[in-house]
Amino acid sequence: DGGITQSPKYLFRKEGQNVTLSCEQNLNHDAMYWYRQDPGQGLRLIYYSQIVNDFQKGDIAEGYSVSREKKESFPLTVTSAQKNPTAFYLCASSFAPLGNEQFFGPGTRLTVL
Amino acid sequence: KNEVEQSPQNLTAQEGEFITINCSYSVGISALHWLQQHPGGGIVSLFMLSSGKKKHGRLIATINIQEKHSSLHITASHPRDSAVYICAVVGFTGTASKLTFGTGTRLQVTL
């Protein structure tokens, strides 16, 4: 089955710790994205990548880092520099260009204790 | 003011009712997406449209580019339609396209 997987579904971390969220797709999509969703707000773009070994900051990249070493994978690291990391994180992918239909993963809910 | 506004924010309907969700935007766009988010959090793309109207099953999406407005209609609503419906527009930032999302319309369909 083709699709996007994110793991884990729920993640808890202590303040001051870095944590990495996984995102894998087998749809052969070139573009991948990370979004953050907070209650009462629309999805906000953290980072996106249009091609392997290249990625761009989105609207709220501070405190986050990404890598794109393989076409299928786009992990997101939430660093201790992110002031308010508790949120629901969604990964998505699409065929280029960026405005095309996006396919979303199931999301990871991160809670900082 | 948000670039993408949805109305209503919350909507309760009885099974069988015809439902309309509205999306207005203030920027130039190349396309508009309608998405559905289920209670577990997963998001599914329903439509991508740049003009006119699209239909899929009981769902119909329309867009009026001149008025900067789109509607999502659900005919013969069913409890399984209960979800958050999100409108997103494809605009431009520099040389890249960009998706801007509305805050969503929470729909509850009761028996």
Side-chain angles (χ1 to χ4, degrees), chain A residues 35 37 42-43 59 98-99 101, chain B residues 33 37 43 45 97-98 101-102:
Chain A
Y35 294 98
Q37 188 176 39
L43 273 70
D59 299 319
L98 298 178
E101 179 184 12
Chain B
H33 296 261
Q37 185 170 29
I43 292 179
S45 177
S97 299
K98 174 190 171 182
F101 295 81

Side-chain angles (χ1 to χ4, degrees), chain A residues 1-2 4 14-15 27 38 42 46 58 77 79 81 83 88 94 100-101 104 107-108 111 113:
Chain A
D1 279 330
I4 301 180
K14 294 181 180 178
E15 268 192 63
L27 300 167
D38 295 283
I46 304 172
T77 297
T79 76
K83 299 302 180 192
F88 188 57
S94 74
N100 270 337
E101 179 184 12
F104 287 82
T108 292
T111 303
L113 306 172

Side-chain angles (χ1 to χ4, degrees), chain A residues 11 13-17 19 21 36-38 63-64 78-89 108-113:
Chain A
L11 188 56
R13 84 153 216 222
K14 294 181 180 178
E15 268 192 63
Q17 289 181 337
V19 62
L21 281 58
R36 171 182 171 137
Q37 188 176 39
D38 295 283
Y64 300 98
V78 184
T79 76
S80 57
Q82 169 49 235
K83 299 302 180 192
N84 186 20
T86 295
F88 188 57
Y89 292 87
T108 292
R109 190 166 298 278
L110 173 64
T111 303
V112 174
L113 306 172

